[in-house]
Amino acid sequence: MYRITAEHLNTYFGDAHILKDISLKVAENTVMALIGPSGCGKSTFLRSINRMNDLIASFKLEGTLLLDGNDIYSKNMDVVDLRRRVGMVFQKPNPFPKSIFENVAYGLRIHGNDDEDYIAQRVEESLKSAAIWDEVKDKLDQSALGLSGGQQQRLCIARTIANNPEVILMDEPCSALDPISTLKIEDLIHELKKDYTIVIVTHNMQQASRVSDFTSFFLNGELIESEKTEKLFVSPKEKKTEEYITGRFG
Amino acid sequence: MKSFLSPGTSHKIMNSVLIFSGVLTISVLVIILAFILIEGLPAIDLEFIFGGVKDQGRSGGIFPVIVSSLYVTLISVLIAAPLGVGAAIYVVEYAENRKLVNIIRFGAETLASIPSIVFGLFGFAFFVMFLKMGWSVFSAGLVLAIMAIPTIFQVVEVSLRSVPSTYKEGSYGLGATKWQTICNVILPAAIPGIVTGIILAMTRAISEAAAVMYTVGSSVSMPISMFDPGRPLPLHLYILATEGISLQNAFATAAVLVIIVMVITFLTNYFTQRYQNKMMGNL
Ligand SMILES: Nc1ncnc2c1ncn2[C@@H]1O[C@H](COP(=O)(O)OP(=O)(O)OP(=O)(O)O)[C@@H](O)[C@H]1O
Ligand SMILES: [Mg+2]
């Protein structure tokens, strides 16, 4: 079963045609890596899935984008619920200037939960799933901004998990982190795959091959090739893909 | 081009000039404060703070004057803070029309640059006479509110704009609505700036003589209702000094005013700093 399906997807910022005729499927409980040179539209694709691009007035989208077979851009789609079901982790860790506990509880509260026992239990579960519980369990009431960058990013993952999403989008989640923190996040992605479908943008080929089941290579807004990860990196079909992954450009 | 001075010498000269201007600024502050406190403090005792005005201010205390000051200031802040903060939220988070934003900003700047005596005159014509509110702490509070709105608006706008957009993205990304994001993320992050803006407006309002001169009356009895007249500290001080009633008590009144303003400023700085530290995880 496919969680995410894009068919002939085209997006624009004003007159600029960004994504060109993208057709791509992401299966349930798999990790899809998006790679490609800067400016090729990876983030735009990712942000189309949870409609974060809606925040930009000039954004336009044509074609189909489905979540579990339902049109993400249909009039009936509740954006609030969509963003609960499709969580997002950003490039720069962005915890709120609130306590660690309240960061994770935030999603629950805005979606109308007010049972404090339930919230406390979800916060603990989420922090455990994000492999950060042991580091923060004694300081849940301290500001999240006092954590290290790597811890902040795992907290942001916990914050997303607390919403009980189906899909987690990650836009270069490790690019602001040191190698050790990066490895921790990569291990975490392996764990999370059991319960969630993950789409991750990365500039790091090794990372893509370590964490993902499938990899899609974007170039100038076009999807050049989408394949099983080992296949794409070992024997790419397209010449452009080969040139990119061997570092001949990009 | 050949310079008269070597880089080292000109550096030294610039350094001395800068240090001199820094020292001068501080000295002016210290001299003024010391002067007022030295002249004023000896006349201040419990009777002066908590007593009623006697013999037009030659003797007795200034309690009704202090109450008048706090009364008009409170009224002005209660009116101006929601309006100023609301306008800033609108401009930063909602307004899509750039032109409208620029007009609002221009309006605020213009309002802020009008001399306070003109506000006083307007308040007299409009609130006191036209709306028949009479000389009252309410009329004066309204005038001070009009003066405070642009200050609050400007400071709060800057502090709302300085909230990192990554906070907003994080909130929207979790499914929060715009209003939830404003209430739960943006406003809490901007609290120190909002408080600073309100307090700045408040210390200006409490120090204002010209704007209240034509609107509050000059009654030295205790204002109870909002429609009672009063006489805030700066006005009392002005009357004591210009009518040659008692220079000693004028200084004592000035000292009380200065101390109130300093205490307000100090307390706010202390608490916003603490809040900031807690929020940023430096505690
Ligand atoms: N808000 C925006 N308004 C207009 N154009 C934009 C906007 N955001 C992105 N673009 C343009 O869309 C194109 C794709 O950008 P996008 O951020 O998706 O690239 P990317 O593949 O994620 O790049 P990077 O690897 O640098 O993050 C770029 O040409 C960019 O200039
Ligand atoms: Mg990007």
Side-chain angles (χ1 to χ4, degrees):
Chain A
M1 152 153 186
Y2 292 106
R3 275 282 185 220
I4 300 164
T5 312
E7 277 162 6
H8 304 295
L9 185 71
N10 287 279
T11 71
Y12 307 81
F13 286 120
D15 291 333
H17 193 176
I18 306 297
L19 293 177
K20 295 163 192 153
D21 201 37
I22 307 287
S23 295
L24 180 65
K25 289 178 171 169
V26 184
E28 194 176 355
N29 295 7
T30 60
V31 177
M32 164 72 79
L34 308 181
I35 60 169
S38 191
C40 68
K42 306 177 297 290
S43 298
T44 305
F45 181 75
L46 210 61
R47 297 163 72 91
S48 296
I49 302 172
N50 63 347
R51 291 184 54 168
M52 283 297 272
N53 285 328
D54 289 13
L55 301 177
I56 296 151
S58 66
F59 177 74
K60 251 191 5 258
L61 177 140
E62 289 163 1
T64 346
L65 194 52
L66 308 175
L67 175 67
D68 299 325
N70 300 317
D71 186 355
I72 292 175
Y73 285 83
S74 103
K75 283 204 177 64
N76 305 327
M77 178 57 72
D78 175 0
V79 181
V80 166
D81 190 53
L82 171 73
R83 292 188 185 145
R84 185 196 62 70
R85 288 162 63 194
V86 182
M88 183 162 218
V89 177
F90 298 84
Q91 177 166 2
K92 218 173 134 254
N94 61 346
F96 303 124
K98 297 173 182 291
S99 71
I100 292 168
F101 185 93
E102 285 305 325
N103 262 277
V104 185
Y106 185 81
L108 298 165
R109 293 197 197 285
I110 57 169
H111 288 107
N113 285 294
D114 48 15
D115 177 349
E116 287 300 324
D117 292 335
Y118 173 72
I119 290 177
Q121 174 204 333
R122 277 301 294 160
V123 167
E124 180 172 342
E125 285 167 7
S126 309
L127 288 167
K128 281 179 176 158
S129 308
I132 190 179
W133 172 252
D134 289 330
E135 291 156 68
V136 300
K137 64 172 186 278
D138 299 322
K139 48 177 181 181
L140 292 175
D141 58 340
Q142 288 177 22
S143 172
L145 301 189
L147 297 172
S148 75
Q151 290 174 323
Q152 289 188 4
Q153 196 61 305
R154 275 177 287 143
L155 180 71
C156 289
I157 293 174
R159 183 173 77 177
T160 304
I161 292 173
N163 263 346
N164 212 354
E166 297 156 30
V167 178
I168 302 178
L169 310 173
M170 300 185 171
D171 196 347
E172 303 181 46
C174 303
S175 65
L177 306 182
D178 61 279
I180 304 225
S181 304
T182 299
L183 280 183
K184 281 193 184 154
I185 303 258
E186 288 182 7
D187 287 344
L188 180 56
I189 292 173
H190 277 292
E191 282 301 311
L192 294 176
K193 183 167 94 170
K194 293 173 193 149
D195 301 310
Y196 308 97
T197 305
I198 296 172
V199 185
I200 178 171
V201 172
T202 176
H203 272 134
N204 180 328
M205 301 302 139
Q206 281 79 30
Q207 181 167 70
S209 58
R210 280 193 300 261
V211 301
S212 70
D213 305 301
F214 297 87
T215 299
S216 298
F217 170 56
F218 283 69
L219 184 63
N220 296 328
E222 290 175 57
L223 177 59
I224 303 296
E225 186 167 356
S226 182
E227 259 304 339
K228 276 214 156 85
T229 297
E230 57 265 38
K231 183 131 186 295
L232 186 127
F233 281 102
V234 175
S235 53
K237 277 207 257 351
E238 300 290 331
K239 192 149 185 340
K240 285 173 185 161
T241 314
E242 186 182 343
E243 285 175 352
Y244 182 70
I245 58 179
T246 53
R248 254 171 274 168
F249 74 90
Chain B
M1 198 183 85
K2 221 181 133 203
S3 171
F4 290 107
L5 301 166
S6 72
T9 321
S10 59
H11 176 79
K12 268 184 207 148
I13 293 179
M14 271 321 286
N15 224 358
S16 333
V17 169
L18 292 178
I19 289 178
F20 175 75
S21 40
V23 169
L24 190 70
T25 313
I26 300 286
S27 320
V28 170
L29 177 71
V30 169
I31 289 170
I32 292 178
L33 272 185
F35 190 69
I36 290 170
L37 293 179
I38 289 170
E39 294 281 331
L41 281 181
I44 298 179
D45 52 18
L46 279 184
E47 145 92 71
F48 186 74
I49 305 266
F50 292 107
V53 180
K54 279 187 204 137
D55 198 10
Q56 297 182 58
R58 249 174 227 103
S59 60
I62 57 165
F63 194 54
V65 176
I66 296 176
V67 172
S68 283
S69 258
L70 298 179
Y71 213 155
V72 293
T73 307
L74 210 64
I75 290 174
S76 78
V77 166
L78 286 180
I79 295 169
L83 290 176
V85 174
I89 292 176
Y90 173 74
V91 161
V92 176
E93 298 297 332
Y94 284 93
E96 275 165 14
N97 185 340
R98 302 292 325 152
K99 238 191 192 143
L100 184 63
V101 169
N102 287 335
I103 291 174
I104 295 178
R105 271 211 206 108
F106 179 74
E109 272 160 33
T110 313
L111 265 185
S113 64
I114 294 175
S116 50
I117 189 89
V118 177
F119 280 105
L121 204 58
F122 165 78
F124 174 72
F126 190 67
F127 298 127
V128 177
M129 303 305 287
F130 183 69
L131 296 181
K132 299 194 168 56
M133 292 176 187
W135 280 303
S136 62
V137 286
F138 192 56
S139 299
L142 285 174
V143 172
L144 294 176
I146 297 176
M147 293 177 61
I149 290 169
T151 309
I152 297 178
F153 168 77
Q154 287 169 334
V155 177
V156 174
E157 190 195 353
V158 171
S159 77
L160 288 178
R161 284 201 196 280
S162 65
V163 173
S165 63
T166 55
Y167 293 173
K168 280 184 229 179
E169 285 206 315
S171 177
Y172 288 131
L174 290 164
T177 61
K178 186 168 208 161
W179 185 238
Q180 286 173 326
T181 303
I182 291 173
C183 293
N184 299 311
V185 176
I186 299 176
L187 287 181
I191 281 279
I194 294 173
V195 172
T196 306
I198 292 175
I199 295 300
L200 180 66
M202 208 167 135
T203 51
R204 281 190 191 167
I206 206 169
S207 317
E208 190 54 60
V212 299
M213 197 154 12
Y214 305 132
T215 46
V216 77
S218 72
S219 157
V220 290
S221 53
M222 180 69 83
I224 307 292
S225 137
M226 286 203 302
F227 296 102
D228 288 343
R231 183 194 280 197
L233 288 159
L235 187 57
H236 186 56
L237 156 54
Y238 172 78
I239 292 170
L240 290 185
T242 48
E243 299 186 1
I245 296 170
S246 164
L247 208 52
Q248 167 79 66
N249 281 350
F251 271 113
T253 308
V256 170
L257 181 57
V258 166
I259 290 169
I260 292 177
V261 170
M262 285 199 312
V263 167
I264 293 175
T265 311
F266 178 80
L267 284 180
T268 356
N269 280 348
Y270 176 76
F271 283 109
T272 50
Q273 197 59 50
R274 260 179 64 123
Y275 178 89
Q276 186 100 353
N277 282 341
K278 190 161 158 42
M279 191 167 79
M280 292 303 171
N282 301 333
L283 220 65

